[in-house]
Amino acid sequence: MLPRLTTWWTILRISLQERLVYRGDFALGTLMRFLPIVTQIFLWYAIFSNLGTGARITGYTYEELVVYLLLTMVARAFSSMPGLASTIAKQIRSGDIKKYLTQPVDLLGFLFLSRVSHKFAYYIVAIGPFALVFFLCRGYFTSLPDGPQAAAFVVSLLLSFLLGFFLEACIGMVGFWFLEVTSLLFVYMLFSFFLSGHMFPLDMLPQPWGTIVQYTPLQYLAFFPAQVFLGKIEGWALVRALVIEFAWVTFFIVLSRFLFSRGLKRYSGYGG
């Protein structure tokens, strides 16, 4: 166990150092990602202005919708895994995956630690732009979560990171059966962008679509953490939702390991 922990720490430390060296664009990139929200804020302002003071849309005030949009940016920064699935599929197709079969380094473990270091580096550099945007929008935060609610929000973010990683890892593992997963990944990204709640709160969808979408794991990538922060889910309903999110994480962890194991049985690597 100790040698494995030492190996993991070494991988994590080196990956973090590499990313801090060459990813100075994190700060500017993060600030640019907030620009589309400005358009959405003006759009929602126009809608609520026509409805009158104190208006609500499916339980949301104008201030809550602005906070929701900001919080989904935070959640997506945790759960998004750009390039993960395509990297796995490319390594399978090119044969680079052989190095994980001949060396004492686990593929999923290595990629997981790389993503952890990526997120650490991202937030170390991007904390400034996040702080600036949230400071400028501080007037929209009319109420803040209490201690238990804030803790549940942090847990939901950590689980969204695990869910996003292992869900995309499963898509990448499809490369054992199909040489090209670009189309599948495009479809996933399209559905994920809309059905994670990144564009708008999912409870605005008409029935039965609103209920159907909330039975999918995609809602936990952005919609659910924002709901927790806003206090839309409380008490036993919150505990139940966190348990369901944990169950989804467990499911995709097991599925990714199963796909990797089955994929290796049909994988053939040639050359040196």
Side-chain angles (χ1 to χ4, degrees), residues 5 18 24 48 77-78 84 91 99 104 123 136 138 142 147 175 253 271:
L5 291 176
E18 290 177 345
F48 276 91
F78 272 83
L84 176 62
Q91 290 183 338
K99 62 186 178 183
Y123 275 106
L136 294 176
R138 64 190 182 280
T142 55
I253 290 176

Side-chain angles (χ1 to χ4, degrees), residues 210-266:
T211 301
I212 293 173
V213 167
Q214 292 189 41
Y215 277 108
T216 71
L218 297 179
Q219 65 154 325
Y220 296 101
L221 300 179
F223 172 73
F224 177 66
Q227 291 286 94
V228 174
F229 187 96
L230 290 170
K232 300 291 185 180
I233 306 177
E234 298 178 307
W236 285 109
L238 175 57
V239 174
R240 177 178 174 272
L242 287 172
V243 170
I244 294 175
E245 184 177 14
F246 179 79
W248 276 117
V249 171
T250 304
F251 170 77
F252 282 108
I253 290 176
V254 174
L255 180 60
S256 64
R257 287 293 177 183
F258 173 77
L259 292 174
F260 185 55
S261 176
R262 295 291 297 178
L264 289 180
K265 294 182 183 301
R266 69 187 310 278

